[in-house]
Amino acid sequence: MTDSPVLVITALGDVTADLVLSELYGRGVPAVRLDPAVDFAGQARMSVRVGAAPFTGDLSTASRCVGLTTVRSVYWRRPTPYGDPRRSESPQQRFALEQSRAGYTGMLTALPEVPHVNHPIRNRAADHKLAQLGTAERLGFSVPETLITNVPGDARAFAAEHGPVIYKPVHGVHLTGEDGCSRTIWVRPVHADELDDSIALCPHLFQACVPKIADIRLAAVGDRLFATRIDTAGDHLDWRQDQRLITCSPVPVPWEVREAVGRFLRAFELTFGAFDFALDGSGRWWFLECNPNGQWAFVDEPTIRAIASALADILQKGAPT
């Protein structure tokens, strides 16, 4: 097991993955970084055989050759997406892109008895807002009243009842403007009179506004929880909008939240999750969402080190022998 590598699937420049890689290297655990959409278009190669013998194969990068049966664990972070939505593709290019997505990703997700943090199929299943909110409410979290709709009248009635309400996308998306720069739709308050019939174009998420005094980002690594209180200078509703204005400090996790987090991870078969809560003046933690592959490298330094160490513990251990 000492020579069994950890595969770290992510794009170049992923600071979060770098922290875990540094921890693994410091322990003498071999690790191979791979960005399939980029590396296989370059010097990476793979061959897999199934049928006549158990699952076998090899993966080679510019610097390493790995027997797939020797992989200890997989840390699935944020690999580069396949294809560029800003470019038109020929049928041949589209065919090659889809075969690459299915072949390379299929190989990495099919490794037998290899722990994934998290398996990408589990990430996708857990990434749907409505499934998250319904599961969170069922498992004992406090969940703000929420409406997902493309019916303008229903949206206006909900906003009038709870107004102002919070608007957020049903799914996070990064858009590219005409100038080539990325655009993000931030969480913001809306009033009933702002909502017109364009709502019918697609589903939108509206949520009763929690009178919060701070935000909480909780990183769950198995049964180890690391919670950070986020205080924002000014009146930004969405603390991600300008992280120069935030102050992070570790906080204890209430017992009832700890229990609900454990149930949530088990329900979605996750090893890791980044939970967001709104903290109100009474000390109540309101569940907002769980990003199954969320960031944590922006919090206070001791907590960053602790999370990196906890992730390295799981990846180093690998599958039971």
Side-chain angles (χ1 to χ4, degrees):
M1 191 72 173
T2 56
D3 294 329
S4 300
V6 175
L7 285 184
V8 179
I9 312 300
T10 199
L12 188 66
D14 180 1
V15 175
T16 300
D18 289 343
L19 291 164
V20 179
L21 278 165
S22 178
E23 181 71 23
L24 290 170
Y25 292 149
R27 301 178 181 194
V29 177
V32 176
R33 187 179 192 136
L34 182 70
D35 188 9
V38 174
D39 293 342
F40 282 113
Q43 299 183 53
R45 297 290 182 268
M46 57 82 78
S47 287
V48 180
R49 297 189 65 175
V50 182
F55 185 104
T56 59
D58 296 291
L59 164 67
S60 61
T61 69
S63 59
R64 291 287 300 274
C65 183
V66 178
L68 295 177
T69 58
T70 70
V71 172
R72 179 193 307 244
S73 57
V74 177
Y75 183 30
W76 194 278
R77 262 292 298 165
R78 295 196 174 178
T80 301
Y82 287 90
D84 187 339
R86 294 171 296 182
R87 297 179 181 176
S88 59
E89 294 157 340
S90 69
Q92 293 85 355
Q93 290 171 322
R94 171 54 55 183
F95 177 83
L97 188 151
E98 293 300 335
Q99 301 313 299
S100 297
R101 189 200 316 272
Y104 301 140
T105 303
M107 175 266 295
L108 294 166
T109 60
L111 299 175
E113 306 301 324
V114 174
H116 286 68
V117 183
N118 292 307
H119 198 290
I121 292 176
R122 306 289 177 242
N123 280 346
R124 285 198 298 273
D127 202 32
H128 295 283
K129 287 282 200 309
L130 195 53
Q132 284 191 20
L133 293 165
T135 301
E137 183 176 38
R138 176 172 59 84
L139 296 180
F141 286 108
S142 297
V143 177
E145 190 164 346
T146 303
L147 173 70
I148 297 178
T149 186
N150 73 332
V151 181
D154 289 351
R156 285 191 285 266
F158 184 82
E161 177 184 359
H162 296 283
V165 295
I166 302 304
Y167 171 80
K168 62 180 73 173
V170 177
H171 188 271
V173 60
H174 292 279
L175 307 173
T176 302
E178 294 181 357
D179 57 0
C181 296
S182 296
R183 300 285 189 271
T184 298
I185 298 175
W186 302 107
V187 175
R188 72 178 187 91
V190 295
H191 295 79
D193 57 10
E194 297 179 65
L195 305 176
D196 59 30
D197 290 345
S198 64
I199 286 172
L201 179 65
C202 64
H204 303 267
L205 191 155
F206 303 95
Q207 197 165 65
C209 183
V210 175
K212 66 178 183 179
I213 60 171
D215 290 274
I216 303 287
R217 167 60 63 93
L218 183 151
V221 185
D223 58 1
R224 300 169 69 180
L225 307 186
F226 307 90
T228 300
R229 173 173 170 151
I230 303 172
D231 291 283
T232 306
D235 58 357
H236 286 301
L237 182 65
D238 191 335
W239 59 264
R240 301 168 304 169
Q241 194 165 350
D242 190 346
Q243 293 189 26
R244 296 171 300 179
L245 301 178
I246 67 173
T247 302
C248 297
S249 53
V251 290
V253 182
W255 176 85
E256 64 276 10
V257 174
R258 179 177 295 275
E259 292 293 304
V261 165
R263 292 191 292 266
F264 189 97
L265 293 180
R266 291 190 292 273
F268 285 104
E269 298 182 66
L270 300 174
T271 300
F272 173 85
F275 293 76
D276 284 326
F277 298 91
L279 177 67
D280 71 16
S282 70
R284 190 175 185 180
W285 291 34
W286 292 85
F287 176 95
L288 301 179
E289 65 178 322
C290 173
N291 185 333
N293 209 1
Q295 302 284 16
W296 44 268
F298 63 89
V299 301
D300 60 283
E301 191 62 33
T303 303
I304 289 173
R305 292 196 301 269
I307 296 170
S309 179
L311 284 166
D313 286 343
I314 290 175
L315 294 167
Q316 180 177 4
K317 182 178 179 181
T321 57

